[in-house]
Amino acid sequence: MKDEEIVAKALEMVGKAYAPYSHFQVGAAVLAESGRVYGGANVENASYGAAVCAERNAIFAAVNAGERKLSAIAVCGGKDGKVTDFCPPCGICRQVMREFCDPRTFRVIIAKSAREFKTLTLESLLPESFGPEALA
Ligand code: THU
């Protein structure tokens, strides 16, 4: 699976966002070690704090399908669904990614378009992180 294909899935997912309050629509796509890709979009709520980000919805879709090891995630979004700038994942989503990957190799792909994207490791976005091995 090429990074371009994961980005394409994330861009497609932007259109699935339910964001009537912020109007900021985000799409994400997770690549699992199985080779399968899972999409997610942000889902907001009239009780604002109940909103869930695109990244977490994509990760939870993967986990609910039985995946436990994730390799990469692509993220993109923008006001009214127009992707004009990079949309880096929020802190809560970075921590949720941490649960299901090796942060040294897990790739976070932030995309502006199908061709324009940056790839970062989770470790660079969430240094000195707390993970499941601490509780083993
Ligand atoms: N949002 C995401 O889905 N992912 C991010 O990385 C940043 C923020 C959503 C949450 C909320 O629905 C809207 O964007 C505005 O914060």
Side-chain angles (χ1 to χ4, degrees):
M1 172 70 59
K2 286 197 188 125
D3 284 0
E4 284 82 355
E5 295 171 78
I6 315 171
V7 168
K9 178 70 179 175
L11 283 164
E12 178 196 317
M13 291 307 297
V14 173
K16 306 276 194 222
Y18 174 75
Y21 305 107
S22 73
H23 304 286
F24 195 87
Q25 295 178 226
V26 185
V30 163
L31 173 67
E33 278 188 10
S34 66
R36 292 189 184 87
V37 174
Y38 301 85
N42 56 326
V43 179
E44 298 186 345
N45 193 278
S47 176
Y48 293 177
V52 180
C53 292
E55 296 91 318
R56 271 175 286 150
N57 279 328
I59 292 166
F60 295 153
V63 172
N64 281 315
E67 306 287 358
R68 292 292 183 272
K69 291 263 184 243
L70 307 177
S71 308
I73 190 168
V75 190
C76 52
K79 199 85 181 164
D80 300 318
K82 294 182 190 79
V83 181
T84 55
D85 214 340
F86 294 115
C87 175
C90 82
I92 297 171
C93 290
R94 292 177 195 199
Q95 181 63 35
V96 170
M97 291 169 200
R98 173 69 175 82
E99 190 72 15
F100 302 106
C101 72
D102 179 343
R104 295 167 300 184
T105 55
F106 184 79
R107 307 193 312 286
V108 180
I109 307 159
I110 54 175
K112 246 193 219 185
S113 73
R115 289 161 307 282
E116 206 177 346
F117 53 86
K118 286 197 267 200
T119 304
L120 306 146
T121 63
L122 181 60
E123 190 177 47
S124 74
L125 293 172
L126 191 70
E128 304 291 345
S129 61
F130 185 81
E133 63 286 341
L135 302 177

